[in-house]
Amino acid sequence: MEQYHEIAPSGGFAEVILPLAVAKVYTYSIPPELAPYVQPGMRVEVEFGGRKLYAGIVYRITSDQPPFRTKPILAVLDEQAVINPTTLQFWKWLADYYCCTMGEVMEAAFPAYLKLTSERRLVLDANFDPNEPGLDDKEYLIAEALQIQESITVDDVRKILNQKTVMPLIKRMMEKGIVSIYEELQEKYKPKKVACVRLAEPYRSTPDLLSEAFDLCARAPRQTETLMAFIAISKALKQPLDSTKGLLRQQVYDKASADSSILRAMEKKGIFELFERSVSRVGGEERDLDDMKTLAPLQEEALVEIEKAFEEKQVVLLHGVTGSGKTRLYVELVNKAIAEGKQVLYLLPEVALTTQVVERLRKIFGNKIAVYHHRVSQQERVELWQLVLDAGTSPSANQVSGQAPAAGSIVLGARSALFLPFSKLGLVIVDEEHDSSYKQQDPAPRYHGRDAAIYLAHLHGAKVLLGTATPAIESYYNARKGKYGLVELNERFGGVAMPDIQLVDLRKEARERKLQSYFSSVLLDELKAALERGEQAILFKNRRGYAPTIRCASCGWHAECIHCDVSLTYHKHQNNLRCHYCGYSTPVPVACPACGNNELKLQGYGTQKVEDELKIYLPDARIARMDYDAVKTKDAHQRIINDFEERRVDILVGTQMVTKGLDFENVGVVGVLSADHILQFPDFRSAERGFQLIVQVAGRAGRKDKQGKVIVQAMNVTHPVLREILEHDFKAFYEREIMERKAFAYPPFARLIKVTLKHKKPDILNRGARAFTTYLRKNLGNRVLGPAVPPVGRVRNFFLLDLLIKLERKPSLWAEAKEHIRKATYHMQKEAGFSNVRVNVDVDPV
Ligand code: ADP
Ligand code: ZN
Ligand code: ZN
């Protein structure tokens, strides 16, 4: 011990988080000359693993001498912490709860611009002028190297300058706009365009001449109406008629029930000019703010209830039917929170962020709102990071009432926005809280956005509002038990009737030879009628329907596992049926065990096929498709939505995507092509998912002032979930579902951890898995299910095996189980010798 004291510098020690999957934080010594500058949350330059450089984050400072030799911190990069103590605490919780390392959390959470490592590539900043004077010798050398080589790594900088520490220099060069980080495959930021309309000349500069324009449309009443609408909206927005900014075409369509053909005709007459205007996605451009609409009486009541519930509960679940005006309530709560000088985090599922909701909120909050999701460029991310950080530390933080809240005090984002360094978070809104895309799948941390939001809010003493028309079973259970407050909105805004849902028996249609391809006569008739009325339609086809199952063509029988409450999946290679939960498998039967018919069919079809077939039956309809393939290219998603909104498309065929964050006004019919595919996915959550999906997609029908029609096609029309959907009866669904969860010991009555083992060779994987499982069973017994081959048994040449660990709800067991998993991993990799078998842990899988 003595000798350590001798070599130990007097500056103390720092535990540093490195952006790596290493298991723990590493301890470095703080050289005395750096000691006054090192604080938790700052970045420091350190060496790790040979001579590699990393910018790590100081997690903790301690005077405790570790029992090993420490390397020194080489440099301190920041003058102020880039993350605050609460954020560090949140990271620690994420790592512990979701069984990953702090480094993995840092990797996911930190903007790339703040993450420097030896391998990180630098490029000349796009705005750098090589003739610019004022570079010092070192900066000059680096800039010169970059003119020759285009990009160099942090390590190259070290070699060029022949010095040990380089990150402070690089950081300075980034701040001066000389170099920037090379963004691999980063989609270049493109502003979004919106369709606008303004008066053409001479009417714009001389509104007195407008009477002439009215004369021009004297014989076209709809054109007259449109021109009047334009004037009325301008007035309402307090925008002069001579403004070149114009109005959103959509606003005009809404007000005058016009469409693009009318505006085009008026453009030809020289009355209007149609043009596109760019709007920034992230920062706040100045815009027309919508007047806040007054709350309807039911909304008023709900607001009072929510606020009352917040007096006692941290979390409130707002269960409001589709179209009940939940967004309007969120706005009210957000306004109150920012008026108190708090920060607000408003979470949406990823897909919903690229749609209309963002526009709606922008119009209300202007530049107080900042948007954060995967399409935001790295540069903008780091700007937003700084904005959120500053919002917490600036003096205006303790703002006096009446003062405008800081830009970025409201963050609208996908789950990753949780990682931003909030310091005075007052409210978190989790919209569509039931959405399973809140769960991160890969890579670690495999966190659930909603659950992590609740913990984050807890750290800040902030409130959480979960909003949805179809609550997750777990959330509703928590609300029923009194853990969360519960507020319900059972009517649509404006008293619009809930959509009329009709169930169509596909087998009956087939028997009567009325079924055409995937479409029942009922659906085709409704579609035709809607098109004749000038309405639009949405057809929904579940994406997960691709998972092949075997079904009897005459009685609808399908194979189920004898141990679990799930359907079996067909595996072509082995020609058998398998359970993805417990691994049970059985040969494909030659005939239907229920009715003896030997016509067993393989199921699974896609949206592309639906679109093609639909064209045959409705040759005149304008059809578009929205699924993951169709929106691969940038902006395609927005284009499809615009086309549909502006009525250039009659029927939109889509997957889950069409259920998220969309609010179309002219949709008369919604068709669900196959409810069976949704309800029989091999998963204990399939009924819940099915209920949510169908109710959400049905909610797209008839949202303005008329009732919409929903056609749900199914083979097995007796499925109890379908009845509950028809009757809009969430409570009945919940009661039945919660009984099943209890009977089969699934969440919320048990907690699940899924462990996935991976290796390129199946035999090594199998033997490793045996070692892992045997070890784990010794400690956790039959709580360990599997190993079983997952639905996709090989990914990128890695074979996979899943174990499911089912734990009764006992707090001590939860922590123990995670420890057992760590030990089993160690046992398999270190003691049994399967060091290359990888282990992914997924806590609370969805
Ligand atoms: P939800 O999110 O609950 O499905 P929305 O918030 O989308 O419902 O509201 C449904 C429709 O009702 C939207 O078109 C919205 O603009 C309108 N709406 C909601 N509240 C009000 C209000 N207080 N005044 C005017 N219109 C409202
Ligand atoms: Zn049968
Ligand atoms: Zn099973």
Side-chain angles (χ1 to χ4, degrees):
M1 269 327 249
E2 266 317 282
Q3 87 184 56
Y4 286 121
H5 279 291
E6 252 169 41
I7 59 158
S10 57
F13 300 88
E15 290 174 358
V16 176
I17 309 169
L18 299 173
L20 294 168
V22 290
K24 47 181 179 160
V25 291
Y26 275 78
T27 306
Y28 289 84
S29 56
I30 307 174
E33 67 276 17
L34 294 183
Y37 308 104
V38 181
Q39 271 173 35
M42 285 179 177
R43 288 173 305 154
V44 288
E45 182 176 15
V46 292
E47 271 188 344
F48 181 80
R51 293 188 63 241
K52 284 197 176 153
L53 288 180
Y54 292 92
I57 290 182
V58 177
Y59 176 61
R60 222 159 59 97
I61 293 174
T62 163
S63 55
D64 297 346
Q65 172 89 43
F68 51 81
R69 265 185 112 108
T70 49
K71 288 186 177 182
I73 284 176
L74 299 175
V76 182
L77 295 184
D78 300 307
E79 280 117 58
Q80 273 175 348
V82 285
I83 71 175
N84 53 44
T86 319
T87 309
L88 276 176
Q89 237 178 310
F90 180 55
W91 286 17
K92 176 83 172 83
W93 176 82
L94 281 170
D96 288 346
Y97 187 90
Y98 290 106
C99 293
C100 67
T101 71
M102 291 283 273
E104 284 170 317
V105 176
M106 176 178 173
E107 216 14 51
F110 225 38
Y113 266 65
L114 297 177
K115 275 185 304 204
L116 290 170
T117 63
S118 285
E119 288 89 17
R120 178 75 65 191
R121 298 199 85 83
L122 306 171
V123 289
L124 273 184
D125 194 283
N127 298 319
F128 172 66
D129 173 5
N131 302 316
E132 196 175 310
L135 299 192
D136 67 24
D137 290 352
K138 288 177 181 171
E139 289 168 353
Y140 183 82
L141 277 174
I142 302 304
E144 193 185 48
L146 280 170
Q147 274 164 300
I148 302 163
Q149 294 191 42
E150 197 168 348
S151 83
I152 59 174
T153 64
V154 169
D155 225 24
D156 294 335
V157 174
R158 216 178 182 187
K159 286 180 197 133
I160 294 167
L161 301 179
N162 192 22
Q163 65 182 44
K164 193 164 186 177
T165 157
V166 292
M167 286 186 183
L169 169 77
I170 293 171
K171 185 196 170 215
R172 198 172 68 229
M173 290 179 75
M174 282 168 71
E175 282 166 1
K176 283 178 155 181
I178 305 168
V179 299
S180 60
I181 298 280
Y182 173 71
E183 288 186 41
E184 240 167 322
L185 303 175
Q186 178 64 45
E187 286 184 85
K188 282 286 164 274
Y189 173 72
K190 248 203 252 144
K192 184 194 151 198
K193 302 250 196 247
V194 290
C196 295
V197 53
R198 64 187 167 214
L199 286 174
E201 292 295 8
Y203 310 113
R204 189 163 68 235
S205 5
T206 332
D208 285 349
L209 297 177
L210 266 177
S211 58
E212 287 175 23
F214 274 109
D215 290 343
L216 285 175
C217 359
R219 296 221 216 131
R222 294 188 70 190
Q223 293 186 7
T224 309
E225 199 189 325
T226 305
L227 187 53
M228 278 162 56
F230 182 91
I231 296 169
I233 298 167
S234 302
K235 212 175 237 164
L237 293 176
K238 300 190 179 68
Q239 177 170 308
L241 289 173
D242 61 1
S243 157
T244 51
K245 205 168 154 198
L247 299 179
L248 298 181
R249 271 177 238 169
Q250 192 56 48
Q251 286 176 312
V252 179
Y253 295 153
D254 290 352
K255 176 103 188 166
S257 353
D259 57 28
S260 57
S261 63
I262 295 179
L263 281 188
R264 298 254 172 246
M266 296 176 78
E267 185 186 31
K268 280 210 186 98
K269 287 187 180 171
I271 299 171
F272 282 135
E273 266 173 31
L274 303 185
F275 67 104
E276 310 242 298
R277 181 152 55 91
S278 337
V279 287
S280 148
R281 279 186 213 270
V282 183
E285 79 146 24
E286 156 274 340
R287 59 183 53 245
D288 334 312
L289 296 190
D290 263 8
D291 287 336
M292 283 276 271
K293 296 178 184 119
T294 44
L295 293 176
L298 278 179
Q299 289 172 319
E300 194 80 62
E301 267 172 46
L303 182 68
V304 172
E305 280 183 54
I306 292 170
E307 292 184 321
K308 208 164 134 240
F310 274 147
E311 284 170 16
E312 285 171 21
K313 314 262 154 102
Q314 190 216 338
V315 183
V316 172
L317 173 63
L318 171 62
H319 173 211
V321 297
T322 53
S324 56
K326 295 182 286 297
T327 317
R328 182 63 190 80
L329 286 180
Y330 304 154
V331 167
E332 200 68 24
L333 293 163
V334 170
N335 264 331
K336 291 200 177 169
I338 56 174
E340 288 167 13
K342 303 279 193 176
Q343 292 170 312
V344 174
L345 173 60
Y346 190 133
L347 292 176
L348 279 168
E350 183 83 53
V351 190
L353 269 169
T354 52
T355 58
Q356 302 152 314
V357 195
V358 179
E359 266 316 298
R360 269 165 78 184
L361 294 170
R362 276 258 176 77
K363 277 192 208 156
I364 293 167
F365 295 112
N367 72 353
K368 291 197 283 293
I369 205 159
V371 184
Y372 193 79
H373 56 91
H374 79 279
R375 287 203 164 156
V376 170
S377 78
Q378 292 295 345
Q379 191 127 28
E380 284 159 319
R381 270 175 211 226
V382 75
E383 277 167 27
L384 183 52
W385 184 278
Q386 206 55 52
L387 203 63
V388 171
L389 193 64
D390 292 347
T393 50
S394 64
S396 73
N398 307 313
Q399 56 154 258
V400 212
S401 63
Q403 206 172 321
S409 48
I410 309 163
V411 176
L412 178 62
R415 60 170 185 268
S416 57
L418 282 166
F419 295 131
L420 289 165
F422 298 101
S423 54
K424 43 179 192 129
L425 195 59
L427 173 69
V428 182
I429 290 182
V430 184
D431 194 14
E432 311 293 359
E433 64 88 25
H434 65 277
D435 200 301
S436 56
S437 64
Y438 272 122
K439 184 75 180 353
Q440 159 100 358
Q441 299 298 345
D442 264 316
R446 297 180 178 82
Y447 64 104
H448 197 298
R450 174 196 60 218
D451 301 345
I454 292 173
Y455 189 79
L456 179 70
H458 162 76
L459 284 177
H460 285 271
K463 301 295 180 191
V464 181
L465 184 70
L466 307 177
T468 176
T470 51
I473 293 290
E474 281 96 332
S475 300
Y476 203 75
Y477 177 77
N478 282 330
R480 274 289 179 85
K481 279 205 345 189
K483 191 170 163 197
Y484 299 167
L486 177 63
V487 175
E488 315 222 319
L489 262 175
N490 295 320
E491 275 179 36
R492 287 183 149 189
F493 176 78
V496 176
M498 293 305 290
D500 169 25
I501 307 180
Q502 186 180 342
L503 190 59
V504 176
D505 185 340
L506 286 176
R507 270 180 278 156
K508 184 159 168 284
E509 284 260 330
R511 258 197 322 273
E512 295 169 2
R513 310 214 169 274
K514 289 201 224 146
L515 188 64
Q516 301 193 284
S517 171
Y518 310 121
F519 317 108
S520 60
S521 56
V522 183
L523 178 58
L524 283 176
D525 289 347
E526 287 291 347
L527 288 176
K528 283 175 196 157
L531 294 182
E532 263 163 37
R533 291 193 300 266
E535 293 172 357
Q536 293 164 290
I538 292 177
L539 290 190
F540 173 73
K541 166 70 189 69
N542 188 33
R543 192 164 84 94
R544 301 183 79 176
Y546 287 116
T549 53
I550 297 269
R551 151 180 302 283
C552 169
S554 74
C555 80
W557 170 89
H558 64 278
E560 281 187 56
C561 178
I562 54 167
H563 301 301
C564 314
D565 191 21
V566 296
S567 308
L568 296 174
T569 300
Y570 174 65
H571 283 249
K572 201 171 163 193
H573 293 297
Q574 295 88 355
N575 195 35
N576 65 9
L577 298 166
R578 279 213 230 137
C579 171
H580 291 153
Y581 274 81
C582 67
Y584 167 78
S585 80
T586 176
V588 179
V590 275
C592 171
C595 76
N597 168 31
N598 55 13
E599 214 187 318
L600 291 177
K601 286 204 166 145
L602 195 60
Q603 280 196 324
Y605 63 90
T607 36
Q608 169 85 63
K609 194 98 200 295
V610 173
E611 186 190 3
D612 294 346
E613 298 273 318
L614 193 58
K615 282 179 184 151
I616 302 172
Y617 300 101
L618 300 172
D620 298 329
R622 295 168 298 174
I623 304 172
R625 180 163 57 93
M626 180 148 88
D627 55 23
Y628 284 87
D629 295 325
V631 303
K632 254 186 215 143
T633 58
K634 176 109 160 115
D635 293 336
H637 189 247
Q638 192 60 44
R639 202 178 56 236
I640 297 169
I641 290 170
N642 286 349
D643 283 351
F644 195 65
E645 240 175 10
E646 294 176 10
R647 307 182 189 177
R648 286 190 291 273
V649 163
D650 301 314
I651 303 178
L652 186 60
V653 178
T655 57
Q656 266 79 331
M657 280 189 162
V658 299
T659 66
K660 291 181 192 177
L662 298 176
D663 180 6
F664 300 114
E665 294 175 348
N666 190 39
V667 175
V669 176
V670 165
V672 174
L673 289 174
S674 167
D676 309 281
H677 285 169
I678 305 168
L679 294 168
Q680 276 143 20
F681 193 78
D683 186 322
F684 76 92
R685 287 188 208 273
S686 63
E688 178 183 3
R689 285 269 154 70
F691 186 90
Q692 291 166 350
L693 266 174
I694 299 173
V695 169
Q696 293 285 349
V697 76
R700 305 307 110 192
R703 287 169 61 100
K704 199 104 198 204
D705 39 32
K706 61 186 166 203
Q707 191 182 27
K709 180 99 190 171
V710 180
I711 308 292
V712 177
Q713 304 189 141
M715 298 271 271
N716 179 7
V717 287
T718 59
H719 199 299
V721 171
L722 293 174
R723 181 120 332 266
E724 291 145 8
I725 291 171
L726 292 194
E727 285 161 11
H728 303 281
D729 196 348
F730 174 78
K731 289 197 178 85
F733 162 70
Y734 170 80
E735 296 299 350
R736 198 177 43 75
E737 184 65 19
I738 201 80
M739 296 296 285
E740 289 196 14
R741 297 283 179 95
K742 194 164 193 169
F744 291 94
Y746 274 119
F749 300 99
R751 315 183 83 159
L752 303 180
I753 301 179
K754 190 172 89 176
V755 177
T756 304
L757 304 176
K758 305 182 181 186
H759 196 276
K760 286 194 173 163
K761 299 216 171 76
D763 58 315
I764 295 181
L765 177 65
N766 285 328
R767 281 159 48 215
R770 208 172 307 136
F772 185 91
T773 312
T774 311
Y775 188 95
L776 204 55
R777 282 228 168 86
K778 258 192 270 164
N779 293 302
L780 291 172
N782 58 8
R783 296 183 185 95
V784 182
L785 304 174
V789 180
V792 183
R794 192 167 73 139
V795 177
R796 283 181 221 102
N797 291 322
F798 276 90
F799 287 88
L800 311 181
L801 282 174
D802 277 353
L803 286 110
L804 190 67
I805 301 155
K806 223 179 195 184
L807 302 160
E808 57 275 28
R809 291 192 79 97
K810 217 165 58 182
S812 60
L813 182 62
W814 190 228
E816 274 169 39
K818 291 175 183 173
E819 191 51 35
H820 290 315
I821 292 171
R822 266 188 286 274
K823 285 186 181 154
T825 305
Y826 183 85
H827 168 76
M828 173 184 72
Q829 294 180 337
K830 300 282 157 34
E831 292 165 5
F834 299 99
S835 56
N836 291 325
V837 175
R838 296 197 205 165
V839 181
N840 281 352
V841 182
D842 187 359
V843 176
D844 302 333
V846 296

